[in-house]
């Protein structure tokens, strides 16, 4: 089965203490779509400007990503610029130019309206609603978010939570949303807001799933060198949804391994700037790191 | 087989935002010895003053801890006082009164000199050397440390590392010792300093073993409420050594499960002030949490 992915499609200019990389392919939907593409077919919904480099369209196509839902409009592509500190944990935004993204309001192609797996990658909750309204009886809907939407669009986000099967957020966002320091207390409150499956991401410390069948501690793949963590969270949720869309059996039974697959794709994402490393990966290398994680955690 | 444990035996006065607990039983050797006692017999080496409450001697005895190596000298017991912030991660020392600990230089009873498992719990490296010098052909020697010794006794610690089978330290200490941000780079340097087995503790994020058979990611047991983390690291290494001392087969094959057991005892430690929760635990409850961790990490 396919995954429909909506989110930002952007150009990222990323500075780290050792390098500067202008106008890389970025955005939550780009990272999530490439990550999901290793496991299933992907329908991308997004918008770019006329300045969007052709090579990035070719990159999507190499990953067999369906671009019928990608609008190319007169104007500039969303451009984000950020800078990481030496430890790669703290990031600050230097510049945000919304461009054509400012008025983005996608109409889904007919072929997209019955996609069973829907990933509402990080984007304004109103847009997540708008896309979800156009999908008929999806099988599994997951949304990601960021602190910005908790700050400026909380009512929209709370409405969205009632419509989701799964919700993914990081530990500081979980704290911000629930005012709870303890992860179990936070999870309990988030479930009450709607989603049956809640995943709390903890960066290099992995993630935690709370589901009707219980909790799962998902490790992060330990890395020898982190080059650029931009898009790691998007890659995680993209890889997870891609795996789920093609795995046999009930979702609940596949979710743990799906998270492990997401964690592995995220690890590759961190090893290069933007999507540079992720796009060079193969399914065989992903499976290799999944087996590594089995060995690393077995006792 | 037994474990010989040397370290501090102290009275801890612990303040948290919600409570104040004066003169609890504490110290690295107390926590490690009680933790190890759930798995094996323990020989405690330490010193206390005449003011040491009798009830704490009875507590050791209830855990069948051999006290032949515990000196009771005229003077005051080592007293430490500290305060935790609301998130339970940041601690500051309010007071350190060394008392009889200042001149502690133990002579091991004959019955202790052939103990196969030796845990040099957190204490000055010179004292760790002094005790190790008195043990004949130990089977497995592990040391713990703290940032203080990296600051004021680094040459002694570096000499000690050459004599150890295993070394346990936390992530910030690993960074301080090696100047490496990345955990793999740090581990490589620490192995070169001597120990075959290196364990890096990451608090509530678990720990990581580096050994000739590869790496192991050991999870922390997720807790609904942390009351007092004092002694959690000592409980971890104590539980680990206790398990190793009685497990059948080669040490390398048992080390992962030993770490899991240590992690579980540390989780109980965090759920009460000082040793209050740990001393009420049973082996059956520890085994229950070990099974929980199997379920929590399986995929």
């Amino acid at each position: 089965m396919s995954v429909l992915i909506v989110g930002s499609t952007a150009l990222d200019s990323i500075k780290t203490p050792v390098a500067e990389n202008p106008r890389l392919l970025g955005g939550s939907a780009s990272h999530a779509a490439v990550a999901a593409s290793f496991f299933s077919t992907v329908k991308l919904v997004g918008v770019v400007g006329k300045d969007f480099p052709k090579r990035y369209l070719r990159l999507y196509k190499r990953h067999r990503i369906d671009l019928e839902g990608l609008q190319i409009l007169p104007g500039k592509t969303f451009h984000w610029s950020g800078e990481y500190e030496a430890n790669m944990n703290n990031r600050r935004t230097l510049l945000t130019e919304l461009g054509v993204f400012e008025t983005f309001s996608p109409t889904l192609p007919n072929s997209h309206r019955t996609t069973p797996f829907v990933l509402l990658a990080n984007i304004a909750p109103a847009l997540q609603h708008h896309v979800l309204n156009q999908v008929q009886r999806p099988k599994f809907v997951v949304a990601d978010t960021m602190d910005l939407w908790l700050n400026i669009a909380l009512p929209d986000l709370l409405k969205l939570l009632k419509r989701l099967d799964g919700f993914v957020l990081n530990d500081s966002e979980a704290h911000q949303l629930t005012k709870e320091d303890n992860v179990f207390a936070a999870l309990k409150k988030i479930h009450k807001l709607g989603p049956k499956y809640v995943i709390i991401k903890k960066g290099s410390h992995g993630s935690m799933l709370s589901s009707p069948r219980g909790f799962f501690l998902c490790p992060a793949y330990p890395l020898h060198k982190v080059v650029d963590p931009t898009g790691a969270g998007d890659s995680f949720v993209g890889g997870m949804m891609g795996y789920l869309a093609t795995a046999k059996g009930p979702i609940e039974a596949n979710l743990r391994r799906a998270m492990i697959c997401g964690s592995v794709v995220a690890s590759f994402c961190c090893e290069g700037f933007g999507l540079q490393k992720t796009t060079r990966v193969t399914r065989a290398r992903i499976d290799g790191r999944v087996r590594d994680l089995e060995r690393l955690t077995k006792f």
Side-chain angles (χ1 to χ4, degrees), chain A:
Chain A
M1 284 189 263
S2 310
V3 186
L4 179 78
I5 298 179
V6 63
S8 59
T9 41
L11 299 172
D12 285 353
S13 296
I14 299 164
K15 273 174 91 167
T16 71
V18 295
E20 202 161 330
N21 286 269
R23 301 171 76 77
L24 296 166
L25 177 58
S28 62
S30 301
H31 279 282
V34 170
S37 76
F38 294 106
F39 306 95
S40 69
T41 53
V42 175
K43 295 169 183 168
L44 178 66
V45 175
V47 65
V48 296
K50 291 280 188 201
D51 62 340
F52 192 69
K54 293 274 181 299
R55 67 179 183 282
Y56 293 157
L57 293 175
R58 289 196 296 271
L59 186 156
Y60 287 140
K61 284 175 188 162
R62 274 202 307 278
H63 284 271
R64 297 172 310 285
I65 295 167
D66 181 334
L67 299 181
E68 201 188 336
L70 181 70
Q71 292 174 269
I72 304 176
L73 297 183
K76 296 264 189 195
T77 303
F78 177 25
H79 180 213
W80 174 83
S81 168
E83 184 171 14
Y84 284 92
E85 288 177 16
N87 65 10
M88 293 290 165
N89 287 323
N90 301 322
R91 176 173 86 177
R92 72 191 178 98
T93 293
L94 300 174
L95 173 121
T96 306
E97 295 170 317
L98 288 175
V100 293
F101 208 72
E102 197 156 6
T103 54
F104 180 44
S105 180
T107 303
L108 294 194
N110 280 331
S111 62
H112 287 32
R113 291 173 186 259
T114 54
T115 320
F117 287 80
V118 178
L119 172 54
L120 308 168
N122 175 32
I123 196 176
L127 273 172
Q128 293 175 316
H129 277 287
H130 178 69
V131 168
L132 191 52
N133 289 341
Q134 301 173 59
V135 185
Q136 291 154 28
R137 294 184 302 281
K139 188 177 153 74
F140 197 65
V141 181
V142 169
D144 195 358
T145 196
M146 72 183 287
D147 52 356
L148 176 66
W149 313 122
L150 295 171
N151 290 328
I152 69 167
L154 186 59
D156 286 347
L157 183 65
L158 291 175
K159 259 185 270 175
L160 183 74
L161 288 177
K162 296 187 205 301
R163 307 180 65 188
L164 301 176
D165 300 295
F167 183 46
V168 178
L169 72 175
N170 71 34
D171 44 4
S172 65
E173 290 154 7
H175 170 68
Q176 189 182 339
L177 179 60
T178 64
K179 314 290 176 243
E180 294 286 352
D181 271 322
N182 181 273
V183 70
F184 290 103
L187 284 165
K188 203 172 168 180
K189 284 194 178 175
I190 300 169
H191 280 302
K192 281 195 180 155
L193 295 171
K196 190 170 165 186
Y197 303 95
V198 181
I199 293 170
I200 295 186
K201 296 176 290 182
K202 297 180 292 176
S204 62
H205 300 300
S207 58
M208 182 169 176
L209 163 71
S210 173
S211 79
R213 275 205 206 169
F215 301 100
F216 171 54
L217 304 177
C218 177
Y221 189 89
L223 290 172
H224 288 261
K225 191 170 165 59
V226 172
V227 172
D228 169 22
T230 311
D234 308 309
S235 301
F236 168 74
V237 72
M240 180 185 91
M241 287 296 274
Y243 180 88
L244 281 180
T246 52
K248 283 171 192 151
I251 284 165
E252 173 88 47
N254 294 321
L255 204 43
R256 290 171 171 229
R257 189 160 287 263
M259 287 172 68
I260 292 286
C261 288
S263 189
V264 164
V265 183
S267 74
F268 285 115
C269 174
C270 292
E271 290 183 312
F273 279 99
L275 278 154
Q276 285 172 349
K277 178 75 182 273
T278 318
T279 53
R280 290 195 192 111
V281 164
T282 59
R283 178 66 191 266
R285 290 187 64 195
I286 292 169
D287 292 344
R289 284 198 177 177
V290 169
R291 285 192 299 274
D292 287 346
L293 278 178
E294 280 171 351
R295 276 191 292 270
L296 281 165
T297 56
K298 205 176 156 185
F299 63 88

